[in-house]
Amino acid sequence: MRILHWFRKDLRLDDNTALSEAVRDADGDVVPFYSSEPAVLGRPDMAPARVQFVLDALASLGADIRTMGSSLALTHGDATVTVLAAARASGADAVYWNDEYEPPLRQRDDDVERALRAAGIGVKRFHDRLIVPPGAVATQSGSPYTVYTPFRRACEALAVSRALSRVTRLAAHRLPSPPLATLTQLGFATPAAARWPAGEAAAHDRLARFLAASAEGAGLAHYASHRDVPSAPAVSQLSADLRFGTIGIRRVVQETLASAQPGEAIAKFVSELRWRDFYTQVLWHFPHVEHGCFRPEYDALQWPGSDAHFTAWSQGRTGYPIVDAAMREMLATGFMHNRTRMVVASFLTKDLLIDWRRGELWFMQHLIDGDMANNNGGWQWAAGTGTDAAPYFRIFNPTSQGERFDQGGAYVKRWLPELAAVPAKFVHRPWEAPPLLLAEVGVTLGETYPFPIVDHAVQRERALAMYGVLKKDPHE
Ligand SMILES: Cc1cc2nc3c(=O)[nH]c(=O)nc-3n(C[C@H](O)[C@H](O)[C@H](O)COP(=O)(O)OP(=O)(O)OC[C@H]3O[C@@H](n4cnc5c(N)ncnc54)[C@H](O)[C@@H]3O)c2cc1C
């Protein structure tokens, strides 16, 4: 038996369910294959940084496969055509892959499966991406969980599978395939700082550094206490690796549980990993969230925010330093810390009164880890329109968020060099600094750094009135 393994968001040889099963079922006679797709690359929410990450991860995967004497076949085209063509060209009896859960990709996979079966080629699909696959847990009444904590508890009652071992043998194959360079000519430009080391080895290094770091405020040891501090290196930055599968989720959980770090930190980190599972199962059970509010009554909200304010927010020019620092971090690196993602999302929706979907799209167009389920879940949480949402009357004050989580302003000063010399007391509220002091540190408000584009106190009242129009929340 010969099997074609279709790599997608599982760009690795270690802990890869479909690939391991294929190698076992075909006794190593497995053809590794990847197809980039115009329909995916042409999506309006595509980010150059993510495309680059995938190209680099493919280069690394291809090199690893070559060491086994095989070769990763690459192609570009509609998957319903390319997968069937590759299966035929390689003489495969079956195609194996790990499932994806976003509505358009589920549809694509069903179409590919139909085309393969019609041609007499077998198909096996596997759950691989999550600790607990969608549909594996349900409430007592049999419905999907829409609140995180009971979902997590139900998942915790299930055993976490052990990581699968690394595939080490693949029979020699050489399907006709363009070089990777052809795929790199797709016309995406990535800022240098947004080019992350990608591939299995890079992902394992990131995990190892996170688990081992013991410097003050760094790594898993300090995760529970410092994970909300955007200047602290206390988070894993594994989100792009998990997004593209350059590391397996079972491997991450297993190595975390086996680490010598405090139990509280380990529990907190695994609990954060489960948010991925949660939002993915929300998207799986409630596909309408891809375009609309989880709570449809919120689709009636009228968002009066202006295009000029959206531009100021997107470029990090709102006059609220924590918001601007975060937005500029994302533009420069393709990454943003979780705490500041919450702050800027709250600011866009509750201070600038702009539809969360515009922010969701901007994030997808820039984040290296941009992921439909997690991004949508995060935005709907912040906008108060989602599952498990913060009630709409809980509105982040951007100044106090900055002062609480960026005491001293190290994060702001890193991303807003124009405020680098402002004393800590005023770094999150430069508009309150005495003019003489601002002149001494080279800041001219309205010139070198903006005045706040809105008054938070005023906007807060406007947001409450806007949401209040919907009156009683039927879910409360
Ligand atoms: C408005 C908004 C948009 C977001 N968009 C995305 C997105 O597009 N892609 C994405 O992966 N995450 C998104 N998140 C979730 C979270 O901010 C990132 O996963 C996290 O900041 C990535 O950094 P890390 O790997 O260092 O996280 P860690 O704190 O080290 O967490 C480890 C992993 O757990 C998962 N995780 C942690 N928190 C969350 C969460 N709240 N929701 C879902 N998964 C989580 C991620 O896979 C993350 O890599 C968003 C959050 C908000 C508030």
Side-chain angles (χ1 to χ4, degrees):
M1 181 182 191
R2 178 171 297 163
I3 296 171
L4 185 85
H5 175 77
W6 179 18
F7 280 103
R8 298 111 62 80
K9 291 209 274 300
D10 58 335
L11 302 177
R12 64 182 188 278
L13 300 176
D14 177 59
D15 189 25
N16 184 325
T17 310
L19 181 64
S20 294
E21 291 286 329
V23 170
R24 203 194 56 185
D25 291 354
D27 197 19
D29 194 358
V30 172
V31 182
F33 168 76
Y34 180 89
S35 175
S36 64
E37 293 168 78
V40 175
L41 288 167
R43 284 177 61 100
D45 62 0
M46 189 48 61
R50 284 201 301 284
V51 177
Q52 188 64 58
F53 190 92
V54 169
L55 291 171
D56 291 346
L58 284 171
S60 156
L61 180 66
D64 289 347
I65 289 175
R66 272 197 302 282
T67 64
M68 286 184 267
S70 183
S71 109
L72 175 63
L74 299 167
T75 190
H76 182 66
D78 181 354
T80 42
V81 176
T82 59
V83 179
L84 179 58
R88 280 191 170 133
S90 59
D93 304 288
V95 180
Y96 284 18
W97 69 75
N98 291 310
D99 262 334
E100 289 172 14
Y101 305 113
E102 296 92 331
L105 300 182
R106 285 167 72 181
Q107 180 65 50
R108 175 201 64 189
D109 288 357
D110 292 347
D111 292 345
V112 173
E113 175 168 358
R114 253 191 307 278
L116 288 166
R117 290 199 186 281
I121 298 166
V123 172
K124 269 200 185 177
R125 300 165 60 161
F126 297 86
H127 286 299
D128 177 75
R129 288 185 63 70
L130 303 174
I131 305 172
V132 173
V137 292
T139 63
Q140 276 188 344
S141 65
S143 48
Y145 283 99
T146 57
V147 177
Y148 175 69
T149 305
F151 167 82
R152 172 175 59 75
R153 289 205 189 103
C155 291
E156 282 169 353
L158 306 176
V160 179
S161 315
R162 284 186 65 76
L164 297 153
S165 54
R166 187 179 175 83
V167 163
T168 51
R169 67 193 172 104
L170 291 174
H173 282 290
R174 193 156 289 280
L175 268 187
S177 163
L180 187 56
T182 318
L183 300 188
T184 63
Q185 286 157 13
L186 294 169
F188 289 91
T190 314
R195 186 158 182 181
W196 289 44
E200 270 195 276
H204 281 264
D205 279 357
R206 257 191 288 278
L207 176 63
R209 273 200 307 276
F210 175 65
L211 297 181
S214 55
E216 186 46 47
L220 178 61
H222 301 276
Y223 188 76
S225 55
H226 285 62
R227 60 177 286 276
D228 268 320
V229 178
S231 63
V235 292
S236 71
Q237 297 203 329
L238 280 169
S239 44
D241 298 303
L242 291 167
R243 163 78 168 79
F244 293 107
T246 45
I247 199 161
I249 185 66
R250 289 157 299 275
R251 179 68 65 207
V252 173
V253 173
Q254 192 173 313
E255 294 202 6
T256 301
L257 295 177
S259 77
Q261 303 297 357
E264 188 199 358
I266 290 174
K268 185 70 192 153
F269 183 62
V270 175
S271 158
E272 290 303 310
L273 290 171
R274 291 189 191 275
W275 274 101
R276 263 179 92 231
D277 290 23
F278 178 68
Y279 284 137
T280 305
Q281 64 101 38
V282 168
L283 181 61
W284 194 73
H285 287 295
F286 306 99
H288 73 273
V289 300
E290 183 189 350
H291 301 292
C293 297
F294 171 76
R295 304 173 181 215
E297 63 274 21
Y298 283 89
D299 282 329
L301 278 177
Q302 298 291 323
W303 302 90
S306 71
D307 286 347
H309 279 174
F310 180 80
T311 303
W313 174 84
S314 63
Q315 299 305 313
R317 307 277 308 156
T318 68
Y320 284 96
I322 192 78
V323 173
D324 295 341
M327 297 305 292
R328 294 209 216 156
E329 176 188 16
M330 181 170 73
L331 288 179
T333 67
F335 189 78
M336 192 193 292
H337 189 276
N338 181 56
R339 168 55 50 182
T340 47
R341 290 187 205 209
M342 294 193 283
V343 171
V344 303
S346 173
F347 190 80
L348 186 79
T349 51
K350 309 277 178 66
D351 283 77
L352 301 183
L353 311 178
I354 291 175
D355 193 328
W356 59 269
R357 280 161 282 226
R358 291 190 72 182
E360 181 195 28
L361 178 61
W362 186 256
F363 265 34
M364 285 302 284
Q365 289 168 336
H366 292 86
L367 282 175
I368 190 138
D369 61 20
D371 171 88
M372 187 188 289
N374 292 350
N375 194 42
N376 181 278
W379 275 96
Q380 296 224 36
W381 181 89
T385 61
T387 55
D388 211 17
Y392 74 80
F393 46 82
R394 227 174 267 154
I395 298 178
F396 280 174
N397 177 326
T399 310
S400 47
Q401 285 284 313
E403 288 175 342
R404 180 161 165 213
F405 295 109
D406 185 35
Q407 285 173 21
Y411 178 73
V412 158
K413 291 177 181 213
R414 168 147 191 230
W415 296 108
L416 305 179
E418 65 269 44
L419 299 184
V422 175
K425 183 175 172 199
F426 295 110
V427 75
H428 290 289
R429 49 178 86 228
W431 61 89
E432 287 184 10
L436 263 181
L437 185 148
L438 286 182
E440 262 170 41
V441 296
V443 175
T444 312
L445 289 179
E447 284 182 25
T448 60
Y449 185 70
F451 283 107
I453 57 171
V454 289
D455 178 334
H456 172 69
V458 172
Q459 295 304 102
R460 184 174 181 282
E461 293 310 313
R462 288 188 67 195
L464 291 176
M466 181 184 99
Y467 280 87
V469 166
L470 300 176
K471 292 283 186 253
K472 193 116 190 70
D473 179 351
H475 291 266
E476 281 177 355

